[in-house]
Amino acid sequence: MDIFGVSSNKVKALHDKMARFGMKEADLEEHFIRSRGPGGQNVNKVSTGVYLKHVPTGVNVKVCSERSQALNRYAARKVLVNKIETMVLGRESMQRKKIEKIRRQKRKRSKRAKEKMLRAKSMRSQTKALRKKVEEVDV
């Protein structure tokens, strides 16, 4: 465990990514705020939420997802690096690629693809219909 409550490998990967985009710990302005939501007395009494600002770019994030301040500090840095990566790389960033993938998955099917899908569904329903038990008829 390191200062953020996560493994040293994760912290090293985070610092490497920060260095890749020219971010230093000295450039970060960090404030602790009260979280909200589940967590009971810990959340109500302790300032576990983290507000983090990268002074040179003016990008800021607020993270209150965990009950622990250390984990929130790590998560805030991770989110901040991803935001700056998106700003710097634009279309090549990982976040942009995920968004594009979801957009492709949700777009409307072409008429031909829709017909093909409906044909497959009807074939499947016919196959299932053939599995039904045959009722005996008394004569």
Side-chain angles (χ1 to χ4, degrees), residues 14-28 54-57 80-81 84-85 88-89:
L14 177 67
H15 285 299
D16 290 346
K17 196 169 183 179
M18 285 173 68
R20 208 173 328 132
F21 294 106
M23 293 174 61
K24 299 178 214 133
E25 283 290 328
D27 295 341
L28 301 178
H54 186 242
V55 177
T57 58
L80 187 71
V81 169
I84 291 177
E85 177 188 21
V88 172
L89 296 180

Side-chain angles (χ1 to χ4, degrees), residues 30-81:
E30 187 173 41
H31 299 286
F32 300 105
I33 54 178
R34 291 269 171 92
S35 291
R36 31 176 249 211
Q41 188 175 9
N42 181 58
V43 167
N44 296 330
K45 288 180 76 174
V46 183
S47 296
T48 55
V50 177
Y51 172 82
L52 200 60
K53 180 177 182 178
H54 186 242
V55 177
T57 58
V59 176
N60 55 12
V61 294
K62 193 187 315 183
V63 176
C64 303
S65 59
E66 302 292 332
R67 289 178 63 180
S68 153
Q69 188 182 76
L71 290 176
N72 280 333
R73 289 180 73 204
Y74 173 76
R77 281 167 173 72
K78 208 170 168 185
V79 170
L80 187 71
V81 169

Side-chain angles (χ1 to χ4, degrees), residues 104-118:
R104 284 193 306 272
Q105 289 172 343
K106 287 185 172 185
R107 74 176 173 224
K108 191 175 176 184
R109 286 192 174 103
S110 68
K111 191 173 181 180
R112 188 174 184 180
K114 191 171 183 180
E115 288 171 356
K116 183 179 176 183
M117 184 260 311
L118 290 173

